[in-house]
């Protein structure tokens, strides 16, 4: 496997800041010191005197990003979608609250995520305060590092806005005990401002894999932001045209992004640096910064996998998924077994038998290949890896261009081609106006293309389709097997007619966003307004 020089250098820098991140490192249960207020500055402003200080400080923000994102807590909102589910019992209560749209103010994952993300925002604010008014001899390098800082802060505000809607926006080191939630428009405007500044300062291209963003990375995230801005809750239709224009600017901008030929290769260790990544969160297990969202977390408990059963696929979504190479890249239909009933982790060995998901002993749900990884790779045996997270892929950008162009009323042949490029890779035929509106077709295509990537619920929110996707019998399996448990915990296979985790909360728009963690409201009461 070829590793880029940039990644080798970046990995060494991440290792150097790993020690600095120890203070915010989670233990195996992902606990965090919630007594620390992320809106308060803990350091005085100390202007940087050389480029090495600035470089180390910005690399430290990436280190904090790793620690904020290394577990599925960072993507806890993803369980709200109709593509993903979690175990019906076990220790997955915080995930189930999102899965069932019944998120409490005391949800532990919400609180940990809030703290990790806002600690990163504080780190970015510290860098910006320490560089204000300073011009170092290496001006071009300084600009890039400051551009990355704005990019990362904008991403974190965006990540929190997609979970909680209206959020506080600390942008300085001043302590504000009366800080409150900004309006939704103000939140979007701040994210836009950060990303525009990032775009201005970042280079046109970076190394393949986008471990460090380029100007196209910032503009692509802007395209996603404008698409959200055009939907619920702001519903500013003028932003559709801006989303389309931004996406087209990236497509034609020479930033080095392109679809990979084999979608399945994206979700491997060997293929983690590729042209499809618009921005990747890079992990390094040997450096103490592993990715802990894959492998066992997506497998069932008991032999032969001994999985942690945290991330399963919804049955109905799996059943409805169009057949073809994309479905094969997204799911494992069965696990290959040898004569002794053990999973075969060697691609050169033919399986004697296989264990389909309908025969899992505890809970019967399909398994995401995107999460587990290919069995021949062997990452399924553990829960830590060097797998990258794609904060955004080029395929999504193409679908944004198609959908936003249609909504803006200016979809031309290039917008249809963008949609069909994604479909062709999935093994599907081209579509045209005879098949429906391009915006509806592109929105539907996002459903399948981005399944299992913790993004589906955000699409349901902006299009106000939460009730349609999660309500009534929409998630009920068509034909599948389930398990009924008696009082002693013994399971008996029985026809399954409802999802593993039925909806408990409201599906109306006033419950689209998760509440601010109570521990934060207790500390800063205006966050409750």
């Amino acid at each position: 496997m070829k590793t880029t020089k940039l990644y080798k250098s970046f990995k060494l820098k991440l290792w150097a800041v790993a020690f600095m991140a120890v203070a915010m490192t989670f233990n195996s249960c992902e606990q965090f010191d919630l007594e620390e207020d992320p809106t308060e500055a803990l350091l005085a402003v100390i202007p940087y005197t050389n480029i090495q200080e600035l470089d180390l400080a910005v690399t430290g923000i990436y280190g904090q990003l790793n620690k904020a994102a290394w577990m599925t807590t960072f993507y806890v909102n993803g369980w709200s979608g109709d593509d993903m589910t979690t175990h019906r019992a076990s220790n997955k209560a915080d995930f189930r609250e999102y899965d069932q749209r019944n998120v409490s103010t005391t949800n532990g994952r919400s609180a940990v995520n809030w703290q990790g993300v806002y600690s990163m925002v504080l780190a970015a604010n510290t860098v910006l305060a320490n560089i204000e008014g300073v011009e170092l001899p290496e001006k071009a390098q300084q600009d890039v590092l400051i551009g990355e800082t704005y990019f990362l802060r904008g991403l974190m505000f965006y990540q929190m806005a997609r979970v909680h809607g209206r959020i506080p926006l600390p942008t300085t080191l001043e302590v504000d005990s009366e800080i409150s939630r900004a309006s939704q428009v103000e939140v979007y405007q701040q994210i836009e401002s950060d990303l525009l500044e990032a775009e201005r300062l970042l280079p046109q291209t970076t190394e393949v894999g986008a471990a460090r963003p380029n100007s196209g990375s910032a503009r692509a995230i802007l395209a996603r932001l404008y698409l959200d801005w055009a939907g619920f809750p702001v519903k500013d239709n003028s932003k559709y045209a801006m989303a389309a224009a931004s996406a087209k600017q990236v497509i034609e901008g020479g930033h080095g992004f392109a679809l990979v030929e084999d979608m399945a290769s994206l979700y491997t260790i060997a293929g983690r640096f590729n042209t499809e990544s618009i921005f990747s969160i890079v992990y390094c297990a040997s450096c103490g910064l592993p990715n802990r969202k894959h492998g066992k977390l997506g497998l069932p408990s008991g032999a032969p996998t001994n999985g942690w059963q945290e991330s399963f696929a919804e049955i109905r979504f799996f059943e409805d998924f169009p057949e073809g190479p994309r479905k094969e890249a997204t799911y494992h239909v069965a696990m290959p077994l040898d004569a002794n009933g053990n999973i075969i982790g060697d691609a050169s060995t033919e399986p004697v038998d296989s264990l389909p998901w309908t025969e899992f002993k505890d809970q019967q749900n399909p398994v995401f290949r995107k999460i587990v990884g290919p069995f021949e790779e062997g990452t399924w045996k553990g829960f830590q890896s060097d797998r990258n997270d794609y904060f955004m892929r080029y395929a999504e950008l193409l679908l944004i261009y198609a959908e936003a162009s249609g909504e803006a009323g200016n979809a031309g042949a290039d917008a249809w081609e963008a949609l069909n490029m994604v479909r062709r890779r999935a093994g599907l035929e081209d579509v045209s106006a005879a098949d429906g509106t391009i915006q509806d077709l592109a929105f539907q295509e996002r459903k399948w293309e981005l399944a299992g990537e913790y993004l589906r619920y955000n699409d349901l929110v902006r299009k106000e389709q939460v009730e349609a996707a999660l309500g009534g019998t929409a998630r009920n399996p068509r034909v599948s097997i389930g398990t009924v448990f008696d009082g002693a915990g013994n399971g008996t296979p029985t026809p399954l007619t409802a999802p593993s985790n039925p909806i408990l909360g409201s599906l109306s728009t006033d419950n689209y966003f998760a509440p601010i963690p109570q521990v934060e409201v207790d500390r800063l009461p205006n966050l409750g307004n």
Side-chain angles (χ1 to χ4, degrees):
M1 177 187 66
K2 181 179 178 181
T3 303
T4 64
K5 292 180 180 179
L6 178 142
Y7 175 61
K8 289 179 180 177
S9 173
F10 188 39
K11 185 170 73 171
L12 290 173
K13 290 178 182 177
L14 282 177
W15 182 87
V17 301
F19 179 79
M20 298 166 56
V22 166
M24 64 170 293
T25 301
F26 307 108
N27 65 20
S28 60
C29 295
E30 202 170 5
Q31 299 297 311
F32 199 91
D33 181 7
L34 296 177
E35 294 304 312
E36 184 178 323
D37 187 345
T39 64
E40 294 185 2
L42 304 180
L43 300 173
V45 176
I46 304 175
Y48 299 120
T49 60
N50 57 66
I51 197 68
Q52 290 76 22
E53 290 176 351
L54 174 60
D55 186 32
L56 185 61
V58 175
T59 304
I61 305 175
Y62 284 99
Q64 292 210 13
L65 174 59
N66 280 89
K67 285 304 178 185
W70 73 331
M71 289 191 181
T72 39
T73 294
F74 189 66
Y75 301 101
V76 68
N77 207 38
W79 273 265
S80 296
D82 58 345
D83 58 334
M84 298 180 66
T85 190
T86 190
H87 194 266
R88 65 169 67 88
S90 186
N91 62 346
K92 315 301 179 186
D94 288 337
F95 294 117
R96 279 195 303 277
E97 286 190 2
Y98 279 87
D99 200 9
Q100 298 176 311
R101 291 312 304 153
N102 195 38
V103 185
S104 68
T105 59
T106 57
N107 185 287
R109 301 284 174 168
S110 296
V112 169
N113 193 37
W114 184 280
Q115 185 68 29
V117 169
Y118 274 104
S119 291
M120 185 180 160
V121 169
L122 173 59
N125 289 343
T126 302
V127 169
L128 295 176
N130 288 348
I131 199 64
E132 186 175 3
V134 175
E135 184 167 323
L136 301 173
E138 302 85 352
K139 182 64 165 57
Q141 188 177 355
Q142 175 181 336
D143 284 349
V144 171
L145 290 168
I146 297 307
E148 291 181 7
T149 302
Y150 277 109
F151 177 84
L152 293 170
R153 187 176 71 177
L155 250 60
M156 291 307 99
F157 282 145
Y158 195 8
Q159 184 78 354
M160 296 309 289
R162 296 190 113 192
V163 179
H164 299 285
R166 294 175 53 226
I167 58 171
L169 298 170
T171 56
T172 69
L173 294 183
E174 296 180 6
V175 176
D176 184 2
S177 60
E178 297 184 357
I179 194 169
S180 60
R181 295 188 299 161
S183 70
Q184 193 68 61
V185 170
E186 289 170 336
V187 171
Y188 288 157
Q189 288 173 338
Q190 180 60 54
I191 299 166
E192 178 187 41
S193 174
D194 280 351
L195 292 175
L196 286 172
E197 186 66 4
E199 180 186 35
R200 184 181 71 84
L201 296 170
L202 291 172
Q204 180 181 8
T205 61
T206 48
E207 291 283 346
V208 172
R212 308 296 280 259
N214 58 46
S215 59
S217 306
R219 177 55 63 174
I221 302 296
L222 275 167
R224 180 197 277 180
L225 174 70
Y226 292 139
L227 195 67
D228 282 352
W229 204 330
F232 181 88
V234 177
K235 296 196 268 192
D236 181 349
N237 286 340
S238 68
K239 294 298 187 289
Y240 281 124
M242 297 177 70
S246 293
K248 184 175 184 178
Q249 184 176 332
V250 178
I251 292 169
E252 298 177 348
H255 301 288
F257 304 135
L259 292 179
V260 302
E261 183 176 350
D262 178 11
M263 182 178 179
S265 69
L266 293 169
Y267 310 101
T268 66
I269 299 294
R272 69 192 188 276
F273 292 99
N274 55 75
T275 59
E276 193 156 336
S277 174
I278 285 176
F279 175 64
S280 287
I281 303 175
V282 177
Y283 297 89
C284 174
S286 63
C287 308
L289 296 170
N291 193 336
R292 299 184 64 176
K293 293 186 287 294
H294 301 109
K296 283 185 176 294
L297 275 72
L299 289 170
S301 64
T305 64
N306 297 313
W308 287 11
Q309 52 197 15
E310 184 173 286
S311 310
F312 286 130
E314 285 274 22
I315 297 172
R316 180 58 180 268
F317 195 99
F318 168 82
E319 291 175 330
D320 290 344
F321 203 108
E323 298 295 331
R326 181 167 57 190
K327 187 169 186 176
E328 295 169 5
T330 302
Y331 300 102
H332 282 303
V333 176
M335 295 178 290
L337 304 178
D338 62 19
N340 297 316
N342 299 313
I343 291 182
I344 296 173
D346 183 352
S348 65
T349 304
E350 289 295 325
V352 174
D353 201 351
S354 64
L355 178 64
W357 63 269
T358 55
E359 296 178 12
F360 293 166
K361 294 180 180 179
D362 185 355
Q363 179 169 316
Q364 291 73 42
N365 278 94
V367 169
F368 277 117
R369 185 188 187 278
K370 287 182 176 180
I371 291 174
V372 172
F375 287 120
E376 61 269 22
E377 185 180 78
T379 50
W380 63 269
K381 299 175 182 178
F383 59 93
Q384 298 190 156
S385 74
D386 287 338
R387 281 269 302 275
N388 290 345
D389 288 348
Y390 303 118
F391 197 90
M392 187 175 185
R393 292 194 287 117
Y394 188 66
E396 181 185 356
L397 184 77
L398 292 173
L399 295 176
I400 288 174
Y401 181 50
E403 181 183 347
S405 295
E407 294 286 5
N410 58 7
D414 55 348
W416 283 99
E417 175 61 14
L419 169 58
N420 284 320
M421 285 172 65
V422 178
R423 288 181 58 84
R424 283 184 216 120
R425 184 177 67 175
L428 303 176
E429 296 181 353
D430 284 5
V431 290
S432 66
D435 300 294
T437 67
I438 190 172
Q439 55 265 44
D440 289 343
L441 292 168
F443 181 77
Q444 179 79 349
E445 204 63 34
R446 287 177 64 92
K447 175 180 181 178
W448 311 126
E449 178 69 24
L450 304 175
E453 298 184 35
Y454 312 100
L455 295 170
R456 171 66 172 164
Y457 182 68
N458 300 114
D459 281 345
L460 298 178
V461 166
R462 68 179 175 84
K463 297 290 283 186
E464 295 183 80
Q465 291 192 12
V466 173
E467 172 72 37
L470 304 181
T473 61
R475 292 190 304 149
N476 287 3
R478 293 184 298 184
V479 179
S480 57
I481 301 297
T483 300
V484 170
F485 294 87
D486 61 22
N490 300 309
T492 303
T494 186
L496 186 64
T497 59
S500 301
N501 292 315
I503 297 297
L504 298 180
S506 169
L507 297 179
S508 62
T509 56
D510 60 0
N511 194 41
Y512 274 10
F513 297 108
I516 304 295
Q518 188 61 47
V519 65
E520 303 298 336
V521 176
D522 290 344
R523 184 181 299 114
L524 301 167
N526 285 344
L527 295 184
N529 299 329

